Amino acid sequence: MSASNEKKTRKDAISETPKTAMEIEKQKAEKRSNFLYGLIAVVFVVLAVVSLVWKSGIVNRTATAVTIDGQKYSAAEVNFYYQNVYRSFLSSNSYFISYLGLDTSSSLKNQTINATAASMMGVEEGSSWFDYMMDNAIHQMTTIQKGLEAAKAEGYQFPDSVQAQYQDSMDSLKTAATSSGMSVNKYLQQNLGSTMTEKVYGQQVLKLLQYQDYANAYADRLTYTDEQLEEAYQADTKTYDKASWEYVVVSGAAESTTDADGNTVQPTDEETEAAKAAAKETADKILAAYKAGTSLESAAGNYEKASYYSSDSTTYYDGTTGNWLFDGARKSGDTAVLEVGSSYYVALFHSCGREEYNTVDVRHILIQPESGTLSTDDEGYDAEQEELKAAARTKAEEILAEWKAGDATEDSFAKLAMEDSADGSKYTGGLYARITKGQMVEAFNDWCFDSSRKSGDTDVVDTTYGSHVMYFVGTDLPAWAAAVTDNLQTEDTNKWNEELTKDAVTEQKNFGMKFVS
């Protein structure tokens, strides 16, 4: 669900996808990493059975492809990580794959990284896309291996939630395979390559979950003094401050037309310039109306190409509006007409600074409505949906009543969350820690930040995701301090990972690597 504040998974992964060239420029020189899995090649010397073995796929699956400090990884194992990284990259960058010059219909081994992608990812232009994905895969494999070795040396005990999450993952896999009319192995091979098997997949999923749990536990143990938090904040205030403002966007884009044959005709340079000039004139009129006493929202309503917005938590970015909002000389009530591309912004500044309100910790149990039998166009669909929602609400109320009739403690609530919640937070007992305002869906958010809320409060809250059994744990760090803490924990955990892996010796085996892609 979008109401989420789970701890960041401590792993090198492709960061949030930039949607524009501006965002790509912001990510310049930053390397992106993903998790991939590998295959190890096995040499068969009994010539009489070579043909049968080859046809069975055993050679492809078991050939050693990579070694890390002498530990062998089969081609199937390496391919697991490779596919994971590759698919994650495609998902994160889906809006501009072609802009990066990546052809998903062709082998990555025959494609090189263009200047745009090289700039964004901090790699050498002209290097192979396959090598980029594989380097990230091996790095992730190394991180997992060394992390689990550290966990074992420490005597770390994995919580039951890790096994529960693993079992749920495998159950979901089997359900997906059955729904597709395939065996699990066939389903995996269709989606992750011909070398994949249920055994390999399960083993690597468990390792990944164990590593994530251990890394998260390490990060959670990292604490910082008030002085350290203040120092980190003062060193980079723009990262943590939020701006409050109102603004109107006046589009200056010229509209295309259609000729007699129905073909689209792009606007001329003159038409483009005229449209932008008209937008500037409209923006000036809106600002004048505001200064004369009309609200910005009302003034915008008089113009078709003007759209009004407001925000209490705009973050900084290095651009026209970002630099205007976060200018240290900015005062409440300042206004301006700002040129942004082909549009003009009529901006009204209110404030800028760090968020001092306390974040909150909440546990919840999500009960989702069952799937209906009718489609949206069927008669009775709305009535069926209401019945399903009502049934989910009833179940949520029954769970809350069950909890109240028992120990009625936070621990007992967490146990029920593990058993009954449909939300991913079930593996942490339904806990969302350090929730910020506006992070959750509206009804969830409003309940959490009700001024009368106190520790131990419970209720059932309905959202578009279903019915939530709520348990209010209490307030947490101020929002700015929570953001600083999260960044420091991430930075320090990354340094810990780097220290664990810095001396690892990795080697790719040519024969086994033939079966990885």
Side-chain angles (χ1 to χ4, degrees), residues 446-459 472 475:
D446 292 347
W447 188 88
C448 291
F449 287 98
D450 187 312
S451 59
S452 66
R453 192 66 55 228
K454 58 184 183 296
S455 296
D457 280 358
T458 58
D459 205 347
F472 190 76
T475 57

Side-chain angles (χ1 to χ4, degrees), residues 43-60:
V43 177
F44 290 84
V45 295
V46 183
L47 298 181
V49 296
V50 165
S51 178
L52 290 177
V53 169
W54 188 267
K55 291 179 180 179
S56 72
I58 292 176
V59 172
N60 309 39

Side-chain angles (χ1 to χ4, degrees), residues 161-399:
S161 58
V162 172
Q163 186 63 34
Q165 191 170 2
Y166 163 76
Q167 192 58 57
D168 284 350
S169 297
M170 298 307 291
D171 289 345
S172 294
L173 169 65
K174 292 173 183 177
T175 298
T178 300
S179 298
S180 300
M182 303 179 189
S183 67
V184 171
N185 281 345
K186 185 68 175 178
Y187 180 81
L188 285 171
Q189 288 161 10
Q190 178 170 300
N191 287 278
L192 296 177
S194 61
T195 59
M196 192 54 57
T197 66
E198 181 178 359
K199 180 179 180 180
V200 170
Y201 180 88
Q203 288 173 337
Q204 303 315 310
V205 166
L206 182 57
K207 285 183 178 181
L208 178 56
L209 293 173
Q210 289 175 334
Y211 165 76
Q212 290 176 348
D213 177 78
Y214 180 58
N216 283 335
Y218 175 86
D220 289 341
R221 294 197 296 266
L222 298 174
T223 58
Y224 306 93
T225 65
D226 292 343
E227 291 75 15
Q228 288 174 313
L229 294 177
E230 185 67 36
E231 181 182 0
Y233 165 75
Q234 293 296 341
D236 193 10
T237 58
K238 285 183 177 179
T239 292
Y240 303 107
D241 284 349
K242 300 292 179 65
S244 173
W245 65 314
E246 296 175 68
Y247 59 104
V248 176
V249 180
V250 183
S251 173
E255 296 181 0
S256 59
T257 56
T258 304
D259 63 19
D261 297 324
N263 299 314
T264 299
V265 179
Q266 297 301 325
T268 64
D269 291 343
E270 291 76 13
E271 290 171 334
T272 297
E273 291 176 6
K276 190 169 182 180
K280 176 64 164 61
E281 182 179 354
T282 297
D284 289 338
K285 289 180 179 179
I286 291 173
L287 181 56
Y290 168 74
K291 289 182 175 180
T294 302
S295 72
L296 205 58
E297 184 173 10
S298 295
N302 295 322
Y303 300 93
E304 182 180 355
K305 289 194 172 184
S307 301
Y308 170 83
Y309 304 93
S310 66
S311 172
D312 292 326
S313 57
T314 295
T315 56
Y316 172 76
Y317 78 94
D318 187 12
T320 302
T321 58
N323 289 321
W324 184 82
L325 287 169
F326 287 81
D327 186 329
R330 192 66 51 232
K331 295 182 177 64
S332 179
D334 281 357
T335 57
V337 172
L338 307 172
E339 181 180 353
V340 181
S342 62
S343 298
Y344 285 90
Y345 282 51
V346 185
L348 169 59
F349 178 82
H350 292 304
S351 64
C352 183
R354 68 191 194 186
E355 297 178 309
E356 297 285 358
Y357 71 86
N358 286 331
T359 57
V360 298
D361 298 341
V362 173
R363 293 186 186 273
H364 85 128
I365 301 169
L366 172 62
I367 306 301
Q368 292 180 316
E370 298 290 338
S371 298
T373 59
L374 303 177
S375 63
T376 54
D377 295 330
D378 290 339
E379 183 179 353
Y381 171 80
D382 291 338
E384 181 185 54
Q385 289 300 306
E386 289 305 314
E387 290 179 4
L388 294 170
K389 291 176 183 177
R393 171 82 186 197
T394 298
K395 182 177 179 180
E397 290 171 343
E398 290 172 350
I399 290 173

Side-chain angles (χ1 to χ4, degrees), residues 451-516:
S451 59
S452 66
R453 192 66 55 228
K454 58 184 183 296
S455 296
D457 280 358
T458 58
D459 205 347
V460 174
V461 173
D462 296 319
T463 73
T464 53
Y465 295 97
S467 295
H468 308 256
V469 187
M470 308 292 292
Y471 180 95
F472 190 76
V473 178
T475 57
D476 208 314
L477 293 171
W480 73 269
V484 174
T485 297
D486 189 63
N487 280 349
L488 290 177
Q489 286 179 331
T490 299
E491 291 172 4
D492 289 341
T493 302
N494 287 340
K495 292 176 183 177
W496 168 72
N497 272 326
E498 290 171 5
E499 188 65 24
L500 285 176
T501 60
K502 68 177 183 179
D503 296 325
V505 178
T506 65
E507 183 180 1
Q508 297 184 37
K509 302 296 184 178
N510 291 336
F511 180 72
M513 287 299 296
K514 293 179 180 179
F515 309 116
V516 180

